[in-house]
Amino acid sequence: MSEAIAFEIQTICRRAAEPVAPGESIKAQLRRAWVNLGRPPMWRLRAGWYSDNAGNWSAAAVADFQSRYLALIERKGRTVEIMKSKADLIAGRTQPKTVELAFDEYRTLVSRIEAIETALRVRG
């Protein structure tokens, strides 16, 4: 049982470090996992990464890591969903569905108008 828990913790740590660039150091991957998991204690993350005594963790520590990972998955899912919605909106396939998308389009339009006004002022 403890081997299964250690493997699960190790998998959580390594998936939290994705995407891994070719040639990237383990230290950089650990740092990304640490940030993505909401900055848990670094010694615990390192122990989970290398499976050092991860099978001996308390149930609360394992549950904490699992909840952090689920929150990460939820954040990534929302990000992907927003990016797909933006792509559909730009392609003209849909109308803005959320306030965030509408506000983002508003900011884009305002910045374009400001750029045009600046160009007109320069021309005279």
Side-chain angles (χ1 to χ4, degrees):
M1 184 68 164
S2 64
E3 290 176 11
I5 292 170
F7 181 73
E8 181 182 0
I9 296 297
Q10 184 180 39
T11 303
I12 287 172
C13 292
R14 294 191 178 187
R15 285 192 179 159
E18 293 175 353
V20 178
E24 189 173 39
S25 68
I26 298 297
K27 184 176 182 178
Q29 293 175 41
L30 279 166
R31 194 174 305 118
R32 185 180 310 107
W34 179 69
V35 169
N36 286 342
L37 290 174
R39 296 177 169 79
M42 182 56 95
W43 65 268
R44 190 166 299 274
L45 180 74
R46 197 172 287 128
W49 183 275
Y50 294 111
S51 293
D52 294 339
N53 297 324
N56 297 331
W57 286 14
S58 68
V62 173
D64 177 53
F65 254 65
Q66 289 170 335
S67 66
R68 288 173 183 269
Y69 184 63
L70 290 175
L72 171 65
I73 291 172
E74 186 177 319
R75 282 193 312 270
K76 282 186 176 182
R78 278 197 310 254
T79 302
V80 168
E81 182 180 313
I82 288 172
M83 289 174 65
K84 286 180 182 177
S85 296
K86 284 182 181 179
D88 287 345
L89 187 64
I90 290 169
R93 292 187 289 259
T94 61
Q95 295 297 322
K97 294 180 182 175
T98 64
V99 174
E100 291 176 12
L101 289 176
F103 187 69
D104 189 46
E105 285 298 307
Y106 171 77
R107 285 185 291 177
T108 303
L109 290 173
V110 167
S111 65
R112 287 181 183 173
I113 290 170
E114 289 172 351
I116 291 170
E117 287 177 346
T118 304
L120 291 174
R121 272 190 232 120
V122 169
R123 285 191 171 174

